[in-house]
Amino acid sequence: MKYILVTGGVISGIGKGIIASSVGTILKSCGLHVTAIKIDPYINIDAGTFSPYEHGEVFVLDDGGEVDLDLGNYERFLDIRLTKDNNLTTGKIYQSVINKERRGDYLGKTVQVVPHITDAIQEWVMKQARISVDDDGVEPQVCVIELGGTVGDIESMPFIEAFRQFQFKVKKENFCNIHVSLVPQPNTTGEQKTKPTQNSVRELRGLGLSPDLIMCRCSSPLETSVKEKISMFCHVEPTQVICVRDVSSVYRVPLLLEDQGVVSYFCQRLSLPIEVRPRKMLTKWKEMADRSARLLEHVSIALVGKYTKLSDSYTSVIKALEHSALAVNHKLEVKYIDSADLEATTLQDEPVKYHEAWQRLCSSHGVLVPGGFGVRGTEGKILAINWARKQNKPFLGVCLGMQLAVCDSSGDTVIDMPEHNPGQMGGTMRLGKRRTIFKSSTSVLKKLYGGVEYVDERHRHRFEVNPELTHHFEEKGFQFVGQDVEGERMEVIELEDHCYFVGVQYHPEFTSRPIKPSPPYFGLLLAAAGKLQSYLAKGCRLSPRDTYSDRSGSSSPEADMSELRFPSLSLD
């Protein structure tokens, strides 16, 4: 097993997650099996109780794990399925050590940060690194570990110490450290400054870790003299200083690293069993990056939510929209609308904000109401849904958005679920992968999924539509086309005589991939671009030259990634 540790310096949010994902992607493109672990030094057990304004969205895994959004990046980039133990927090480590102490596992010894906490961290990483994350069940060969926060933070000290010990436990040829740092370029001088990187690397080396690669985040390409200066003061070769400049699309980051010889370095440093050959998977990334830069037609989607001040609150939703927009050959414009701005109280207090919000909604090609919690802003969401329904605008409601679509037509129809424990917040929802059975052969969503009888999608909700009132909704034109396995829970709704009005109780954005867009989002973008009816009329297949798959001829977004070449839909 080879371990690649990604640390960060100078500032948080520097892009460690994208860089870790990109490193995994280029290694996977070389035929290696890659897994990923994210370490978050906060004391929370998991991300389930966070406000989206704290760390961005809460990403949900197949096993119901509520985790950091970086695990979503790993899944999308590497096309893997992770588990909740791939997200390690201080809370989880201390909880496991304290449980052992209560059981008497330490035989009366004093339990300390070193060695007990640091040993627990190392054991967790070694155990989790060997668990398969691919469909073929093969044990991974490389584990990319991202350490959250910034080097020097008090809360990350036990983890740094654990990896200082770890590098000797697994031997030098099996462990390497990438340090991501910032090279600022103040407008006053226009000069790239290396001092923050020097200080950050000095601090890391003082804690016992010496970086093998220094990845410099910068706004423009790194000058040769700057590279040489970092090399001299940070104890690395100039070839080990990698420029990660700002790029137009995250799809370009793996290509950027590949161009600077990162694969060759890993081959030599970690003795990786790979050949130097053309890499099919990276070719797809280049196609995606080139196509996203060439798109001319625009499609705008109004995202009506309550956490719109921070785009990270809806990371997976935005990615799912981008994947689908790319598949329909349109450049995506997301119009963020705070749902509270659509309400009558805003008209009284801030009329300009109210009219601007409605103008953004009315000028959009489609409407999306994503999941959320709490009462604030629900009235505005219902008003947006009502407008989309009456104006025959493409609409997708996810989780709370689906429940409010039903409330819009029928009032108070959402009930608490039996699983919900009102006395405790964390981990008490309906979480993880659940099966939805399609009940209608004419369902638009069933066709978009490729005509399958059922789908397995991820859930995260405390409330559900009252199943006793289904006949009442059906009188209003709603069709409950998807239910759970027992037939007790309403999972998918569609509205008759509408261009595209779909609500899903699950979160399809969590399983969307760059080359396999999520069908509910794909349908929304097709409808918003005016191509849905043409796509359905062709049996959800495209012309031979535009298919997703080289051999099967199927245009289903669920096609096997290994056979995909990216589509260029031409449906007009």
Side-chain angles (χ1 to χ4, degrees):
M1 175 64 70
K2 309 293 182 182
Y3 299 92
I4 299 172
L5 174 67
V6 180
T7 55
V10 187
I11 58 170
S12 60
I14 199 169
K16 296 187 298 296
I18 295 295
I19 286 171
S21 303
S22 300
V23 166
T25 300
I26 56 178
L27 292 176
K28 186 167 182 176
S29 76
C30 298
L32 296 171
H33 284 80
V34 182
T35 186
I37 294 174
K38 172 71 193 291
I39 296 175
D40 286 302
Y42 47 66
I43 296 172
N44 303 60
I45 300 294
D46 62 25
T49 55
F50 281 145
S51 157
Y53 285 138
E54 287 286 314
H55 292 270
E57 75 170 5
V58 177
F59 191 80
V60 179
L61 302 170
D62 279 352
D63 64 358
E66 297 173 284
V67 295
D68 186 85
L69 60 82
D70 276 321
L71 275 84
N73 284 326
Y74 305 156
E75 287 205 342
R76 282 186 288 270
F77 271 71
L78 298 169
D79 197 30
I80 54 178
R81 297 288 176 115
L82 299 171
T83 67
K84 59 188 173 190
D85 287 342
N86 286 84
N87 191 193
L88 179 54
T89 69
T90 297
K92 281 182 183 176
I93 283 292
Y94 273 80
Q95 188 179 56
S96 70
V97 169
I98 289 167
N99 288 343
K100 281 184 180 178
E101 186 274 332
R102 291 290 84 187
R103 287 198 306 267
D105 291 4
Y106 296 115
L107 300 173
K109 286 193 172 71
T110 303
V111 180
Q112 297 175 287
V113 173
V114 181
H116 300 103
I117 295 294
T118 52
D119 283 354
I121 293 166
Q122 294 172 66
E123 286 162 16
W124 190 301
V125 167
M126 291 179 83
K127 181 185 170 191
Q128 196 58 33
R130 300 197 173 279
I131 293 173
S132 174
V133 291
D134 289 302
D135 293 337
D136 58 13
V138 174
E139 184 180 301
Q141 297 158 284
V142 180
C143 179
V144 180
I145 306 155
E146 180 194 345
L147 177 56
T150 310
V151 168
D153 290 349
I154 231 168
E155 55 261 38
S156 64
M157 287 298 182
F159 294 101
I160 297 277
E161 172 58 21
F163 286 108
R164 185 194 68 76
Q165 299 169 21
F166 189 70
Q167 64 187 333
F168 302 113
K169 182 182 281 189
V170 299
K171 303 289 184 287
K172 186 183 178 184
E173 62 272 17
N174 296 322
F175 179 87
C176 120
N177 175 210
I178 296 173
H179 188 63
V180 185
S181 187
L182 179 70
V183 177
Q185 194 168 357
N187 290 333
T188 47
T189 62
E191 186 184 357
Q192 292 179 326
K193 297 293 184 182
T194 65
K195 195 63 74 180
T197 299
Q198 291 179 44
N199 291 339
S200 176
V201 171
R202 187 185 305 118
E203 183 153 24
L204 183 64
R205 295 186 69 209
L207 295 168
L209 284 174
S210 191
D212 296 281
L213 288 174
I214 298 172
M215 298 212 173
C216 300
R217 289 284 291 108
C218 43
S219 52
S220 57
L222 215 55
E223 294 163 17
T224 306
S225 59
V226 173
K227 217 177 221 194
E228 288 170 351
K229 192 173 181 182
I230 291 171
S231 160
M232 181 170 63
F233 284 104
C234 297
H235 200 65
V236 292
E237 291 278 344
T239 53
Q240 291 167 260
V241 180
I242 307 295
C243 165
V244 187
R245 68 179 189 276
D246 294 345
V247 286
S248 57
S249 160
V250 292
Y251 302 136
R252 293 206 179 275
V253 181
L255 304 170
L256 200 61
L257 302 186
E258 161 82 345
D259 289 344
Q260 294 177 73
V262 169
V263 172
S264 307
Y265 177 78
F266 284 139
C267 283
Q268 163 255 313
R269 172 70 179 75
L270 297 172
S271 306
L272 292 174
I274 56 180
E275 312 159 24
V276 179
R277 56 186 171 77
R279 293 182 253 282
K280 189 179 176 185
M281 191 169 151
L282 272 191
T283 308
K284 298 182 202 314
W285 283 89
K286 187 167 189 325
E287 281 177 30
M288 281 193 292
D290 291 345
R291 286 192 55 223
S292 63
R294 284 200 306 263
L295 297 174
L296 298 175
E297 293 183 89
H298 285 70
V299 62
S300 60
I301 300 294
L303 193 155
V304 184
K306 60 188 280 192
Y307 311 115
T308 52
K309 291 183 180 67
L310 180 70
S311 61
D312 271 3
S313 303
Y314 298 110
T315 297
S316 292
V317 169
I318 302 303
K319 295 298 177 193
L321 289 171
E322 286 175 355
H323 301 161
S324 296
L326 198 54
V328 297
N329 270 331
H330 279 62
K331 190 177 280 291
L332 176 69
E333 180 191 359
V334 178
K335 297 187 176 185
Y336 293 97
I337 300 171
D338 188 325
S339 54
D341 292 348
L342 300 171
E343 297 173 2
T345 50
T346 307
L347 175 60
Q348 293 172 350
D349 301 337
E350 298 178 86
V352 173
K353 189 181 277 189
Y354 172 86
H355 289 296
E356 284 176 348
W358 274 101
Q359 193 277 330
R360 286 201 300 278
L361 179 69
C362 296
S363 60
S364 300
H365 298 118
V367 179
L368 170 66
V369 178
F373 293 89
V375 176
R376 183 179 70 81
T378 49
E379 185 190 332
K381 292 176 184 177
I382 290 173
L383 289 168
I385 293 165
N386 184 278
W387 178 83
R389 180 165 59 84
K390 290 180 175 174
Q391 297 295 321
N392 197 30
K393 280 279 182 183
F395 166 78
L396 175 62
V398 174
C399 196
L400 176 64
M402 178 257 209
Q403 295 167 2
L404 294 179
V406 174
C407 292
D408 167 44
S409 65
S410 308
D412 191 7
T413 57
V414 176
I415 58 170
D416 216 350
M417 291 188 308
E419 293 98 328
H420 178 212
N421 172 0
Q424 190 168 331
M425 292 281 282
T428 58
M429 291 183 275
R430 187 165 181 250
L431 290 164
K433 186 167 79 171
R434 311 285 176 123
R435 182 157 291 182
T436 295
I437 313 286
F438 285 112
K439 299 291 182 182
S440 165
S441 57
T442 59
S443 160
V444 171
L445 203 55
K446 180 176 180 176
K447 291 174 184 174
L448 288 167
Y449 272 105
V452 295
E453 295 302 314
Y454 62 84
V455 291
D456 294 321
E457 294 277 12
R458 299 174 184 179
H459 292 67
R460 184 181 187 242
H461 60 108
R462 281 201 177 93
F463 299 94
E464 63 181 358
V465 175
N466 189 341
E468 294 175 10
L469 299 176
T470 50
H471 64 281
H472 178 62
F473 308 133
E474 284 162 358
E475 288 169 9
K476 303 263 185 176
F478 279 107
Q479 289 183 305
F480 283 89
V481 297
Q483 297 175 357
D484 70 344
V485 176
E486 289 79 26
E488 295 171 357
R489 292 196 163 112
M490 305 300 117
E491 293 281 350
V492 183
I493 60 160
E494 292 178 7
L495 186 63
E496 296 172 350
D497 304 320
H498 194 284
C499 67
Y500 187 79
F501 193 99
V502 172
V504 290
Q505 183 60 72
Y506 49 80
H507 288 266
E509 63 270 18
F510 292 144
T511 50
S512 184
R513 300 287 182 266
I515 313 180
K516 291 185 283 189
S518 164
Y521 286 90
F522 188 52
L524 175 68
L525 267 294
L526 279 169
K531 298 182 175 184
L532 179 61
Q533 294 310 315
S534 169
Y535 182 73
L536 295 174
K538 294 180 179 180
C540 294
R541 289 172 185 272
L542 312 177
S543 58
R545 67 182 181 84
D546 294 328
T547 56
Y548 274 83
S549 167
D550 286 333
R551 291 195 288 274
S552 68
S554 165
S555 62
S556 165
E558 294 295 303
D560 180 15
M561 188 168 185
S562 64
E563 304 199 351
L564 297 176
R565 75 179 160 76
F566 213 75
S568 55
L569 290 173
S570 174
L571 301 170
D572 297 327

